[in-house]
Amino acid sequence: MLKLKDLRCEYRINPIGISTGEPRFSWKIETDKNDSIQSAYTLQISSNEDFNGEVQNSGMVESGESHLVVFKGLKFSSSEKWYWRVKINDNNGEESPWSETAFFETSLLDKNDWKAVFISGENESAASSSAGTVFRREFNISKKIKIARLYASAKGVYKAYCNGCRIGSDVLAPGFTEYGSRILFQTYDVTELLKQGANVLGFMAAAGWYKGDFIYGWDLQRNVFGKCTAVIGQLLVKYEDGSSETLITDSSWTFSKAPVVFSEIYHGETYDARLEEKGWNEIGFTGKDWKPVLVESPDLCALRPADGLPVREHEHFKPKKYFTTVGGDRVIDFGQNISGYVQFRVKGKAGEKVKLRHGEMLDAAGNFYTENLRKAKQTIEYILKGGEEEVYQPHFTFQGFQFIAIDEFPGDVNPDNFKAIAVYSEMKPIASFKSSDTLLNQFISNVSWSMKDNFVDIPTDCPQRDERLGWTGDAQIFVRSAGLIMETAPFYAKWLKCLTISQLSDGSVPHVVPDILIKNDENGNLLPRNAGSAAWADAAVIVPWMVYTYFGDIRILEEQYPSMKKWVEYVHSVAQDGVIFNTGTQIGDWVALDAKEGSYFGATPTDLSATAYYAWSTELLARSAEVLDKKEDAAQYKELHRNIVQAYGKEFFTSTGRIAARTQTSCILSLQFGLCPPHAKQRTMDTLVKLLEENTNHLTTGFLGTPFACRVLADNGRLDLAYELLFKTDFPSWFYQITKGATTIWEHWDGLKPDGTMWSPNMNSFNHYAYGSVYDWVFTDVGGIETEGPTAFKNIILRPLPGGPLSFVESSYESPYGTIFLRWEKTGTNLKVDIKIPPNTKARLILPGTEKVLGSGKYSFNVSGVNNGKV
Ligand code: BGC
């Protein structure tokens, strides 16, 4: 029986507030037959649920597309709700029944839809204040409500309320963007919160990323985007009688001080519960210190409907251990390093205080450790109002932590009154990986936690110290792994729009996006921009390409293409003879162990690593041009790629094939990006193996070499060595961290040294995902599931490469077409493989000594005589 399931519009189930008038539709196929391929689809879109009003019919479209399908010729306007359903025909001659009916609703798509204005309770004198503000307005509804939507946003971060209830569950909305030209607004369904008669809307807002502290150099700066927080809201009420009404933020609103007396992303929050005004967001409230709001100029050009994934609360952690350190701190260990905050319950007198500090580690003596946070305070202070038990969790901040120190608390501390709440962007988990090895399983967990913790609205370097920035290099290094853990396409699509905005007019791309590493000197002149480093700026090309590869999102490629091209053209314009990239600030093989003592910069020459990345980006640009049918560009960039590779061969290899820069990373990048001249390939591989041997088979690589180390070894005949590196437990290695208790991936191989001392307090995060990017090799080669080319798993490669101490691996991936499953088990030299291939795909199964193409279905195979991946 052929059936359709998992209907999605723009990646979401029945979304409201989609940001485009040309939505894309996806469905999955269920069938009891093998080898099923969709041959045609029929899509219907209707103004009502019964499909008996206005119906748009695609007719039967002969196409195998079932993911991100565009209904050609249809464009929707703002605040429209439409229903849709689909049926398909397959290659077995079957026709499915209509799918269940799904719906979508557009947001405000045109800036002219906005009638509201930003309202504020602050003027420029509040630039240094990080206090919260509350806003309210009562209004009357006289008719029967059909639906009601609130469109809302802030300069700062906000929460919205209706008749005493919180609206939605977003954390840190509207998210972190290049606010100067892009402020996202959320769409909320408030139908159930409103009633006929008197109603009230309220907002609470604070500094957030908009005006709070950010790093610059080793110092802090603030007000990067503005000096005053502000909110905007537009309530649309559609009545049963067909009429509608709009309530907007304007001069009729009032504001007051919030009990949040201080809140910032890096530093935490101070909340004085004594300042709470009971009923402030309910009807009939008359507060004494409420004043008319200040209305901002009605320039709303930057407002865009939110198109990423909202940040939300996820896992909760109970205390794992409560103890007092040698230094006398009362400490709770939550057992997992997370991004988020602590919720606690407390009872005491008015004016009594709770003070918590957050940290990732204990030091060698077992004391609470916060030095690696640098200037980020990560401190919560709560002043009790007194009386009944009080429950508190921060409103407008998040911390990176596993431990808290309880500096102040009324009465005895009962750890049961505390819980840690993980907070990150709402991405759909799409992969699972389980093996016979507990350290490997822990490692997979650590990678996925470092991902969650660093996906708080933008891809960050770390979630704890005074950075938490969208470092472009970190983002591109991890993008492939990320796509093999969670559905990241909408998350990156949002961030890439900011990358395009931040990109300099000459095409150079900033080190961080949104670009906050920007400052004027005392005369008001802009200081030189932090931009243009290879492997960082290459995010402009690599991220869209990888999102296209894994999620088939051609719209991202189309939208980003001009930015991708601009970056490659920039390098072309500054490179020596247009081919060797040896100019500008180069970060290079960051925090490699072959760096000079005390330096962060690895030993691999930056002209080599920069040119290697230039070659790769040019290759990906050429491939993108091909996908987008830009024939001339494709030919031009293929030619440029050939020239770069040739020049690279001449510049970085001797005529007899010796690599000029004898570092692990030089060898790895040259092999990974196909840059070795033919006569130098084997010699480069031999050099890499030799360099490893000289270091007792340990890596010395930094951000650039580490992600590809195992892949290069496995691809070049040394699967055994790839496994050896992965399974090492002594310093430096991936599993070494686990033996030291890591629950996330560290920034440094030697973050915590074998003798228990720390590498350095200055640059020592225990939650950086870059080194976790070996995950993509583990998932695709050890687990054996990979997309064949940029087809988003429509064509699948199933190629498990058993090795190391593993006796089995079981992995699955929820592709756009359905679940791909692979389990291999090795007993002696016998390999048993069970697989599942979803409908509408084909898989190339490659097992030692055999290769075949399979259609959808479940299969089992046995291969005997397998040794080191071969028969
Ligand atoms: C960040 C890194 C980043 C690097 C580049 C650091 O401070 O934490 O992850 O890529 O700077 O300079």
Side-chain angles (χ1 to χ4, degrees), residues 67 430 479-481 483-484 545-553 623 711 776 779-781 783-799 813-817 820 822 838 841-844 846:
H67 173 57
I430 48 176
V479 63
R480 221 165 106 100
S481 291
L484 293 165
W545 175 257
M546 288 303 167
V547 174
Y548 172 67
T549 300
Y550 286 104
F551 300 102
D553 197 325
R623 288 164 73 182
R711 185 169 297 284
D776 80 56
F779 193 80
T780 58
D781 277 13
I785 299 175
E786 171 67 306
T787 175
E788 170 117 70
T791 67
F793 296 91
K794 182 127 172 79
N795 298 327
I796 303 162
I797 299 184
L798 299 175
R799 190 189 61 145
Y813 185 80
E814 187 58 29
S815 78
Y817 303 93
I820 306 165
L822 193 154
T841 67
K842 281 208 165 348
R844 197 149 62 87
I846 307 169

Side-chain angles (χ1 to χ4, degrees), residues 520-581:
N520 294 318
D521 66 14
E522 55 278 10
N523 302 320
N525 302 317
L526 193 63
L527 290 166
R529 296 288 291 273
N530 293 282
S533 172
W536 271 253
D538 286 289
V541 177
I542 297 164
V543 175
W545 175 257
M546 288 303 167
V547 174
Y548 172 67
T549 300
Y550 286 104
F551 300 102
D553 197 325
I554 199 164
R555 202 172 270 179
I556 293 184
L557 213 54
E558 278 162 3
E559 283 173 2
Q560 293 307 124
Y561 187 79
S563 151
M564 299 164 84
K565 187 169 161 174
K566 252 172 97 178
W567 164 244
V568 170
E569 283 298 336
Y570 165 81
V571 183
H572 186 228
S573 73
V574 296
Q576 180 189 314
D577 302 326
V579 282
I580 298 291
F581 187 12

Side-chain angles (χ1 to χ4, degrees), residues 275-334:
L275 303 179
E276 281 176 2
E277 289 187 281
K278 207 170 162 5
W280 75 272
N281 52 16
E282 291 170 32
I283 49 168
F285 168 83
T286 45
K288 46 181 180 349
D289 287 326
W290 288 70
K291 298 189 190 77
V293 293
L294 306 157
V295 172
E296 290 200 354
S297 74
D299 175 12
L300 306 177
C301 291
L303 279 177
R304 298 278 181 289
D307 54 0
L309 298 167
V311 177
R312 298 257 163 87
E313 292 184 357
H314 295 274
E315 295 88 341
H316 289 196
F317 294 88
K318 287 190 182 138
K320 195 175 159 198
K321 209 172 147 193
Y322 172 56
F323 56 99
T324 302
T325 62
V326 193
D329 280 322
R330 295 177 290 179
V331 169
I332 290 180
D333 174 2
F334 288 100

Side-chain angles (χ1 to χ4, degrees), residues 350-370:
E352 284 185 319
K353 198 160 139 194
V354 178
K355 184 175 172 199
L356 311 178
R357 286 176 298 133
H358 300 66
E360 291 186 290
M361 289 296 267
L362 302 177
D363 68 12
N367 282 318
F368 188 69
Y369 181 78
T370 53

